[in-house]
């Protein structure tokens, strides 16, 4: 069946035309999405059944085709692509064969979509209550008198206030978690049969994420909605999904019940992803998967994973593995799955930092108060950082983590207190600090898409700090750039690239290389892994751990991922509303938290163990 690529429009049509009623799930068979210009597959040979009340987690690295499958359930393919074959059956109808008007009536009413960035899906100039009522008007759901009441009910279902004050807010007046739950309420109000959730908790703190995940699980069960949850976070899937589909290079390579997949992964790719996940209960030596996911037109023959697989043999390069049944309900595409050695979730565990070890202090912060204008947002922060040590800042969004990091890094001048580096007091703003002080503390930002100059080549980006600080120039600087790119597992092939040719994980590696070019003693890492695949996160954490061991670099590591803290940090500070509520060595704090707030953060952190 063919379907042209078109944007997701506003839905319209009366309720009796869009088949409101009990959820019946969806069946995907033989789905192929291809590039319009060449016919090369983006995803191919996709078979998947979604049952009412069930959540299927669709996982894999960036570029594997997860979102492409999700949007195909709405008969949509992005610009430059088309749905080339297959069926998506909903109540005995193939929605890929519907005409344009029928597709518009189906979208949102029978198959709903919650995007990764819900803020982009809400109109910033319209109040929340009015947007929800307008949605119900467009779909002709309810009467004019009952729509506001339905809007209130929908908000209450997702744990949000339904009073006039909240309804009259604009999207920018809500937190990230509140915006995400508004989007979820709007998706579920028409009572769709199928719900596609595209990375809906990426970037949220663990408390907000936990609230959103509980809401999704409860509402899907309560309303018999079949859900497809697209994510790169296997720990989230382990705590949410009923079944798991693992994607690689445009195909589902393993599919089965959640507990079966996590207890007995049968594809080497699934195992590699699981090995890259940090655990809350123990420190782990994290590592990534060598290489990267091949895009359309660059996929190898035979098994598409064979050139990155530790278990590959010659036949893997020539044999396209068929789907085989491991046990009833558990399928895999691997010709060697029966020969793989036993796998354990405990593999990779390492010892925690010893709290009794000697510490050589390099950075000390005393009585730090930070302000936004007249408003104080951080209160009396005191801590120190030793050489070769990683100190994590954790807490909910708005707790003051990044605010503290920016003050210490010299990116904020609105603070009082004392910050000393090797006993030498630092000026408030970076411009008032000496060249030597600026060189010794380097800041790595959360978003590499915004922190790297798109007009410069990678060589120019990494070379710039050397020129600014008089470290190297000319051929010596170029040689040093090559060394740094090798250190972050990129290599010299990207020297003349611009950032638009790199993935998010590769850009973050360039940002790290740029910071290292200044030969710093302290790195301030601000949520640098929050939006990365687990495999890329694993490789970056492995690289940072190597820098700590081999070069003695100290780090302030801002994150909301407490499981990651267990694997990378030595000590931790827990912040709430701008105040430190608990601090100490990671092993002591995580195994015996003293504050209820810390216990709540730990309880809401998704983990496999």
């Amino acid at each position: 069946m063919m379907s042209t690529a078109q944007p997701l429009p506003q839905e319209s049509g009366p309720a009796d035309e869009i088949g409101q009623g009990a959820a019946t799930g969806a069946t995907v068979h033989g789905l192929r999405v291809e590039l319009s210009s060449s016919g090369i597959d983006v995803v191919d040979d996709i078979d998947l059944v979604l049952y009412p009340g069930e959540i299927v987690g669709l996982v894999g690295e960036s570029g594997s085709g997860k979102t492409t499958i999700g949007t195909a359930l709405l008969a949509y393919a992005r610009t430059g692509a088309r749905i080339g074959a297959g069926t998506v059956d909903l109540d005995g109808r193939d929605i890929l064969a519907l005409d344009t008007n029928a597709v518009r009536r189906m979208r949102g009413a029978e198959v709903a979509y919650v995007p990764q960035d819900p803020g982009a899906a809400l109109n910033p100039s319209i109040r929340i209550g009015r947007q929800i009522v307008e949605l119900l008007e467009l779909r002709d759901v309810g009467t004019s008198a009952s729509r506001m009441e339905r809007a209130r009910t929908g908000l209450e279902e997702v744990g949000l206030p339904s009073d006039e004050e909240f309804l009259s807010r604009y999207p920018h007046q809500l937190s990230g978690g509140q915006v995400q739950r508004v989007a979820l309420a709007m998706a579920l109000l028409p009572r769709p049969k199928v719900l596609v959730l595209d990375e809906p908790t990426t970037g949220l703190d663990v408390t907000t994420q936990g609230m959103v995940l509980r809401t999704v699980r409860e509402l899907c069960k309560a309303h018999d909605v079949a859900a497809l949850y697209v994510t790169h976070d296997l720990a989230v899937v382990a705590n949410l999904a009923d079944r798991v589909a693992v994607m690689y290079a445009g195909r589902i390579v393993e599919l089965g019940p959640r507990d079966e997949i996590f207890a007995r992964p049968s594809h080497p790719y699934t195992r590699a992803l699981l090995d890259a996940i940090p655990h809350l209960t123990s420190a782990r030596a994290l590592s990534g998967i060598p290489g990267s996911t091949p895009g359309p037109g660059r996929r190898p023959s035979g098994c598409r994973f064979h050139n990155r697989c530790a278990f590959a043999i010659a036949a893997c390069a020539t044999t396209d593995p068929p789907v085989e049944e491991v046990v009833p309900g558990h399928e895999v595409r691997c010709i060697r799955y029966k020969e793989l050695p036993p796998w354990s979730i405990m593999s990779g565990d390492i010892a925690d930092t010893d709290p009794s070890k000697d510490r050589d202090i390099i950075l000390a912060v005393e009585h730090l108060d930070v302000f936004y204008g007249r408003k104080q947002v951080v209160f009396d922060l005191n801590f120190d950082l030793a050489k070769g040590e990683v100190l994590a800042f954790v807490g909910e969004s708005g707790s003051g983590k990044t605010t503290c990091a920016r003050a210490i890094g010299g990116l904020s001048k609105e603070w009082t207190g004392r910050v000393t580096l090797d006993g030498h007091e630092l000026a408030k703003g970076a411009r008032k600090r000496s060249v030597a002080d600026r060189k010794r503390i380097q800041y790595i930002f959360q978003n590499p898409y915004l922190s790297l100059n798109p007009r410069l080549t990678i060589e120019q980006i990494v070379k710039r700090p050397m020129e600014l600080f008089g470290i190297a120039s000319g051929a010596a600087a170029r040689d040093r750039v090559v060394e740094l790119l090798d250190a972050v597992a990129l290599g010299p092939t990207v020297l003349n690239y611009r950032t638009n040719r790199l993935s998010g994980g590769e850009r973050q590696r360039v940002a790290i290389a740029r910071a290292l070019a200044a030969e710093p003693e302290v790195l301030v890492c601000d949520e640098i892994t929050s939006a990365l695949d687990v495999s890329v996160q694993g490789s970056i954490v492995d690289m940072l751990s190597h820098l700590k061991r081999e070069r003695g670099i100290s780090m302030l590591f801002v994150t909301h991922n407490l499981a990651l803290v267990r694997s990378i940090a030595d000590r931790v500070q827990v912040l709430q509303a701008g105040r430190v509520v608990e601090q100490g060595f990671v092993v002591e704090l995580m195994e015996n938290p003293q504050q209820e707030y810390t216990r709540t953060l730990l309880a809401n952190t998704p983990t496999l163990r």
Side-chain angles (χ1 to χ4, degrees):
M1 298 296 176
M2 302 295 290
S3 175
T4 57
Q6 51 189 312
L8 298 178
Q10 293 289 338
E11 297 79 9
S12 60
D16 59 347
E17 291 183 10
I18 56 179
Q20 305 264 354
T24 56
T27 302
V28 180
H29 179 68
L31 177 68
R32 176 185 174 90
V33 180
E34 58 195 25
L35 299 179
S36 303
S37 58
S38 61
I40 294 174
D41 67 290
V42 179
V43 301
D44 185 36
D45 196 20
I46 303 299
D47 292 326
L48 189 64
V49 179
L50 304 177
Y51 296 105
E54 178 195 54
I55 300 173
V56 174
L58 186 61
V59 302
E61 295 172 292
S62 296
S64 59
K66 306 184 299 295
T67 295
T68 299
I69 291 180
T71 55
L73 292 176
L74 291 97
Y76 169 80
R78 70 177 189 272
T79 302
R82 64 173 179 245
I83 299 177
T87 60
V88 177
D89 186 274
L90 190 67
D91 276 353
R93 295 173 301 151
D94 177 14
I95 65 174
L96 302 184
L98 298 177
D99 60 37
T100 300
N101 289 331
V103 166
R104 287 176 176 168
R105 291 193 297 270
M106 174 272 298
R107 288 175 180 162
E110 294 183 275
V111 182
Y113 182 80
V114 178
Q116 179 173 349
D117 181 7
L122 299 180
N123 191 321
S125 63
I126 301 178
R127 299 178 189 275
I128 294 299
R130 180 59 203 156
Q131 291 198 54
I132 300 176
V133 169
E134 186 178 79
L135 169 82
L136 298 174
E137 290 173 347
L138 286 170
R139 296 189 175 92
D140 200 18
V141 174
T143 64
S144 57
S146 68
R147 285 172 188 144
M148 181 54 75
E149 191 56 37
R150 292 194 63 162
R152 294 179 191 276
T153 301
L155 291 174
E156 290 169 0
E157 282 187 329
V158 297
L160 289 173
S162 60
D163 54 34
E164 290 297 330
E165 189 276 332
F166 189 85
L167 290 167
S168 64
R169 291 186 192 179
Y170 292 97
H172 74 271
Q173 295 175 308
L174 307 182
S175 69
Q178 287 175 324
V179 171
Q180 190 62 275
R181 283 183 282 161
V182 168
L184 186 59
M186 293 175 71
L188 287 170
L189 267 175
R191 297 294 180 252
K193 299 175 177 64
V194 177
L195 179 64
V196 179
L197 301 115
D198 190 0
E199 301 270 14
T201 61
T202 298
L204 298 180
D205 62 67
V206 293
T207 304
T208 305
Q209 175 180 259
M211 192 179 304
V212 171
L213 295 179
R214 285 192 296 273
T215 302
V216 169
R217 183 168 51 243
E218 291 166 2
L219 292 181
C220 287
K221 299 293 184 187
H223 301 300
D224 254 2
V225 176
L228 183 70
Y229 193 96
V230 175
T231 184
H232 62 256
D233 192 336
L234 276 82
V236 166
V237 167
N239 289 266
L240 176 72
D242 299 289
R243 287 187 297 137
V244 179
V246 182
M247 281 205 74
Y248 183 76
R251 284 188 173 171
I252 294 175
V253 297
E254 189 162 8
L255 172 67
R258 175 194 60 198
D259 294 343
E260 174 73 14
I261 293 290
F262 287 112
R264 287 170 288 279
S266 296
H267 197 284
Y269 179 61
T270 308
R271 292 185 173 198
L273 289 177
L274 290 171
D275 286 339
I277 297 176
H279 295 167
L280 197 61
T281 56
S282 63
R284 305 192 74 205
L286 302 182
S287 60
I289 306 173
S292 59
T293 304
R298 297 186 292 109
R299 290 161 181 167
S301 59
C303 173
R304 298 182 178 189
F305 186 62
H306 81 264
N307 57 346
R308 302 175 70 192
C309 181
F311 304 102
I313 57 176
C316 296
T318 57
T319 304
D320 189 2
V323 176
E324 297 196 44
E325 186 177 73
V326 181
V327 295
H330 184 181
E331 301 173 344
V332 67
R333 286 180 181 266
C334 178
I335 62 173
R336 300 202 65 204
Y337 80 93
K338 293 181 180 178
E339 305 166 34
L340 298 183
W343 179 86
S344 170
I345 198 171
M346 307 289 288
S347 61
D349 283 3
I350 58 175
D352 289 289
T353 300
D354 182 2
S356 64
K357 74 169 188 175
D358 294 333
R359 300 176 63 238
D360 183 9
I361 304 302
I362 185 173
L363 181 77
V365 176
E366 301 173 16
H367 306 298
L368 180 69
D369 295 327
V370 188
F371 302 83
Y372 288 154
R374 296 181 179 179
K375 182 179 181 181
Q376 186 172 354
V377 293
V378 173
F379 304 83
D380 196 27
L381 186 70
N382 296 272
F383 70 88
D384 55 38
L385 177 69
K387 293 179 180 178
E389 183 178 73
V390 177
L391 172 65
F393 283 178
V394 302
E396 296 174 303
S397 296
S399 61
K401 305 185 299 295
T402 294
T403 300
C404 294
R406 290 177 64 85
I408 294 162
L411 302 180
S412 169
K413 296 181 290 185
E414 296 185 71
W415 56 271
T416 61
R418 193 165 181 261
V419 178
T420 58
L421 186 65
D422 267 347
H424 165 62
E425 186 167 354
L426 298 177
K428 290 184 179 178
R431 292 184 183 277
K432 293 184 178 180
R433 294 179 182 178
S434 67
V435 171
D437 287 341
R438 292 201 302 271
K439 173 181 177 296
R440 296 175 74 186
I441 299 180
Q442 290 292 305
Y443 201 103
I444 305 173
F445 295 89
Q446 177 176 359
N447 190 340
Y449 290 89
L450 298 178
S451 64
L452 302 179
N453 191 329
R455 294 188 178 91
L456 301 182
T457 65
I458 304 305
E459 178 183 355
Q460 291 170 326
I461 289 171
V462 179
K463 187 188 293 183
R464 183 62 175 153
M466 301 181 204
E467 297 169 341
L468 285 174
F469 297 122
I471 297 171
S473 61
R478 181 184 174 88
D479 290 344
R480 179 62 179 147
V481 170
V482 172
E483 290 177 14
L484 289 168
L485 292 177
D486 282 335
V488 298
L490 283 177
T493 57
V494 303
L495 277 172
N496 296 317
Y497 288 7
R498 286 182 167 79
T499 56
N500 63 349
R501 296 187 63 177
L502 304 182
S503 69
E506 289 170 332
R507 293 184 200 209
Q508 195 61 280
R509 290 167 186 259
V510 171
I512 294 171
R514 179 180 64 181
L516 294 176
E519 299 179 352
E521 296 174 46
V522 177
L523 286 178
V524 182
C525 305
D526 187 4
E527 296 273 19
I528 63 172
T529 64
S530 63
L532 301 180
D533 298 331
V534 290
S535 58
V536 177
Q537 173 183 272
S539 62
I540 287 179
V541 169
D542 181 45
M543 180 186 62
L544 292 176
S545 298
H546 175 80
L547 291 171
K548 183 183 79 166
R549 292 191 307 270
E550 301 300 321
R551 302 191 187 184
I553 293 178
S554 305
M555 300 177 211
L556 294 177
F557 198 86
V558 176
T559 184
H560 60 253
N561 187 341
L562 274 79
L564 183 60
V565 167
R566 186 69 187 258
S567 290
I568 192 172
D570 303 287
R571 296 168 57 245
V572 60
Q573 294 242 344
V574 182
L575 281 82
Q576 180 184 29
R579 301 179 188 273
V580 174
V581 296
E582 192 162 1
Q583 61 182 309
F585 280 88
V586 169
V587 61
E588 295 175 338
L589 187 141
M590 291 201 170
E591 294 187 359
N592 188 28
Q594 300 299 305
Q595 299 297 318
E596 183 60 33
Y597 178 70
T598 308
R599 289 193 285 268
T600 299
L601 292 178
L602 291 169
N604 282 292
T605 299
T607 183
L608 299 185
R609 289 166 52 185

